Amino acid sequence: MWIKAALLILFALGGGAATAGGYFAIIATVGVITRFAQYTHTAGKIRFYELMIICGAALGNVAFVFMPPVSFPAWLIVPAVLFMGVFTGCFLVSLAEALKGIPIFVRRVKLTVGLCCIIVFFALGKGLGGLFYFLANLASGG
């Protein structure tokens, strides 16, 4: 029995490391971490931000594999989901910018003003969508 648990832990950590490595490579390529550090004037903390992203992906994978029965109060979930949504929105906008998706979109639709508002609404929409998803899942008892 303990061999099965040890192998499951080993595979979960290995999968977490691979997932974190791939996730971090995309985030580093897009430049989300450096932009957040630039805007918040915390360039000295980039290594810490990178470490937290890698640890979060690895621990998330372990939690996914073991599925611990943990419940959190709604007052803790709401801000967490909003922060996750804002981060995901910023990540997607940075990815689109790195792939030159936004400039192509702006030229095709002849958008001259309001690009900042569109980007903010992308992030808010992703955050509110995540919040709705998690609260609906909480309400259904899932």
Side-chain angles (χ1 to χ4, degrees), residues 23-71:
Y23 186 67
F24 176 71
I26 290 173
I27 288 177
T29 301
V30 170
V32 171
I33 299 170
T34 53
R35 287 185 187 180
F36 279 146
Q38 177 186 2
Y39 292 133
T40 59
H41 307 291
T42 57
K45 306 251 189 234
I46 289 179
R47 289 276 199 208
F48 176 73
Y49 298 151
E50 293 170 348
L51 178 66
M52 291 300 102
I53 289 172
I54 291 170
C55 289
L59 290 175
N61 193 28
V62 171
F64 180 77
V65 169
F66 289 110
M67 294 282 189
V70 178
S71 74

Side-chain angles (χ1 to χ4, degrees), residues 23 26-27 30 32 36 53 80-96 119-131 134:
Y23 186 67
I26 290 173
I27 288 177
V30 170
V32 171
F36 279 146
I53 289 172
V81 171
L82 283 174
F83 286 135
M84 289 178 211
V86 168
F87 178 80
T88 304
C90 290
F91 173 70
L92 293 175
V93 169
S94 296
L95 182 61
I119 290 173
V120 167
F121 285 119
F122 280 160
L124 287 174
K126 183 65 182 164
L128 291 174
L131 178 65
F134 285 110

